[in-house]
Amino acid sequence: MTRKPIPKQVKKPQIETKEKLTLWVTLMVSTTLCISVLAMVVSFMLGLWAKEVDNAEIFKMISPAFSTLIGGMIGFLSGIKLMQNDDKSKTCKD
């Protein structure tokens, strides 16, 4: 009978603090964006079926805020991603 060698445990690479922070900030921004978009969509839907509210007025008030929120959050997330790629390319060159 032959004995099988005991497999060595492979250590997982430690995530750097900056990468961990970037991940958490990205997750928080994404969660905030999802909650905000859901809240705005619900307010759109409630405004559409409310008889005492003029639909045109609801869209006039919420549309600029909706566009600003979406644009700002997506810009922030893409900026984080670009900075992360920039850091990786600098370390590869060294």
Side-chain angles (χ1 to χ4, degrees):
M1 179 189 272
T2 60
R3 289 187 167 179
K4 293 182 181 178
I6 300 172
K8 293 181 182 178
Q9 290 182 347
V10 178
K11 291 184 179 178
K12 294 181 182 178
Q14 294 292 324
I15 298 175
E16 292 181 24
T17 305
K18 186 175 182 180
E19 290 175 0
K20 215 182 253 187
L21 180 64
T22 303
L23 174 69
W24 279 107
V25 168
T26 305
L27 288 174
M28 285 189 290
V29 168
S30 300
T31 304
T32 305
L33 176 63
C34 289
I35 291 169
S36 301
V37 168
L38 285 174
M40 287 187 172
V41 168
V42 168
S43 65
F44 275 136
M45 291 296 161
L46 292 175
L48 283 174
W49 283 289
K51 297 193 186 304
E52 60 274 347
V53 178
D54 183 22
N55 290 342
E57 292 299 317
I58 290 285
F59 288 115
K60 277 185 197 175
M61 288 189 298
I62 295 180
S63 292
F66 192 71
S67 299
T68 302
L69 181 71
I70 298 293
M73 295 285 190
I74 289 174
F76 184 72
L77 289 172
S78 63
I80 287 175
K81 188 65 178 167
L82 286 174
M83 289 299 293
Q84 193 175 26
N85 289 341
D86 189 38
D87 290 344
K88 286 181 183 177
S89 66
K90 285 181 182 177
T91 56
C92 291
K93 289 181 183 177
D94 293 337

